[in-house]
């Protein structure tokens, strides 16, 4: 590419017509006002300096743009909310999941305790104790028609003075609505009491 040449008249006309600052800065460098006094090599060197200055000005413009974006505080709250929202949702879902899981386990434990007490005092036999444990479970555990196959309730009767046992086990997936966080495979509750009658 041949380096352009221009005289003082062209350079002044450029400034008068409101050309960009980039052209005004670069033109005095690569435009040779006296082409008859400079060699072709000197003109080429001046043109290359003009290209380098043009690249520097572009880099400065990009730096100014990045600095302006860094100082711009508009929509900062929306950006911060977008960063915090996923973590907040994970914490919220985890709290709900483990809360329902612990509540279900507590209800199952109370059912096993009632079944063991009834079996220990002779109010029911082993089959009756198993029915007490299953009936005590929350509705969301037994709502599925196939729940009976997943729920394992067992009771062991014994002689007076020995221990009776009531145990119930079911999948933890039935104990919560949002299975998003890691959970144990099964929920189990076991109660032992001394046989009294």
């Amino acid at each position: 590419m041949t380096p352009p040449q221009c005289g003082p008249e062209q350079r002044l006309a450029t400034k008068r017509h409101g050309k960009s600052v980039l052209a005004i800065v670069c033109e005095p460098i690569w435009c040779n006002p006296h082409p008859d006094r400079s060699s072709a090599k000197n003109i080429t060197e001046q043109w290359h300096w003009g290209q380098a200055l043009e690249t520097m000005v572009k880099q400065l413009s990009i730096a100014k743009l990045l600095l302006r974006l860094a100082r711009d505080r508009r929509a900062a709250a929306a950006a911060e909310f977008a960063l915090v929202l996923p973590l907040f949702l994970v914490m919220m879902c985890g709290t709900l999941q483990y809360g329902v899981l612990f509540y279900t386990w507590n209800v199952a434990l109370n059912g096993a305790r009632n079944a063991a007490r009834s079996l220990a005092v002779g109010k029911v036999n082993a089959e009756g104790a198993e029915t007490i444990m299953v009936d005590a479970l929350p509705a969301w555990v037994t709502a599925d028609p196939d729940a009976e196959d997943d729920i394992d309730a067992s009771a062991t009767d014994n002689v007076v003075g020995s221990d009776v046992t009531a145990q119930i086990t079911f999948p933890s997936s039935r104990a919560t609505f949002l299975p998003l966080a890691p959970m144990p495979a099964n929920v189990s509750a076991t109660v032992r009491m001394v046989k009294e009658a």
Side-chain angles (χ1 to χ4, degrees), residues 59-126:
Q59 292 176 351
L60 288 175
S61 300
I62 295 174
K64 288 181 180 179
L65 177 61
L66 294 177
L67 184 60
R68 186 176 64 181
L69 290 176
R71 292 177 178 176
D72 192 355
R73 297 299 182 183
R74 291 177 297 179
E80 293 172 358
F81 179 74
L83 292 174
V84 174
L85 181 61
L87 181 60
F88 175 77
L89 290 179
V90 169
M91 293 177 61
M92 181 68 70
C93 293
T95 301
L96 292 175
Q97 175 177 334
Y98 284 108
V100 174
L101 178 64
F102 288 140
Y103 172 78
T104 305
W105 174 79
N106 190 38
V107 172
L109 181 62
N110 287 332
R113 185 179 294 114
N114 291 334
R117 183 180 298 111
S118 299
L119 186 61
V121 297
K123 287 185 178 180
V124 295
N125 56 11

Side-chain angles (χ1 to χ4, degrees), residues 6-168:
C6 60
E9 295 81 7
Q10 182 178 352
R11 197 162 60 247
L12 292 174
T14 299
K15 294 181 180 180
R16 280 201 304 268
H17 287 84
K19 199 171 182 181
S20 65
V21 177
L22 180 63
I24 294 173
V25 172
C26 294
E27 281 181 353
I29 295 177
W30 53 258
C31 290
N32 185 10
H34 304 289
D36 54 339
R37 298 181 183 178
S38 300
S39 63
K41 180 179 180 181
N42 190 21
I43 293 174
T44 303
E45 290 177 356
Q46 292 178 0
W47 180 73
H48 285 309
W49 275 105
Q51 291 283 16
L53 182 59
E54 183 178 356
T55 303
M56 291 175 60
V57 172
K58 288 181 179 179
Q59 292 176 351
L60 288 175
S61 300
I62 295 174
K64 288 181 180 179
L65 177 61
L66 294 177
L67 184 60
R68 186 176 64 181
L69 290 176
R71 292 177 178 176
D72 192 355
R73 297 299 182 183
R74 291 177 297 179
E80 293 172 358
F81 179 74
L83 292 174
V84 174
L85 181 61
L87 181 60
F88 175 77
L89 290 179
V90 169
M91 293 177 61
M92 181 68 70
C93 293
T95 301
L96 292 175
Q97 175 177 334
Y98 284 108
V100 174
L101 178 64
F102 288 140
Y103 172 78
T104 305
W105 174 79
N106 190 38
V107 172
L109 181 62
N110 287 332
R113 185 179 294 114
N114 291 334
R117 183 180 298 111
S118 299
L119 186 61
V121 297
K123 287 185 178 180
V124 295
N125 56 11
E127 293 180 358
E130 295 173 1
T131 303
I132 291 175
M133 286 187 287
V134 174
D135 292 342
L137 292 176
W140 55 82
V141 177
T142 59
D144 192 348
D146 298 332
E148 295 181 359
D149 298 332
D150 297 335
I151 299 174
D152 182 18
S154 62
T156 304
D157 199 356
N158 212 331
V159 297
V160 177
S162 300
D163 289 342
V164 296
T165 304
Q167 181 178 9
I168 185 167

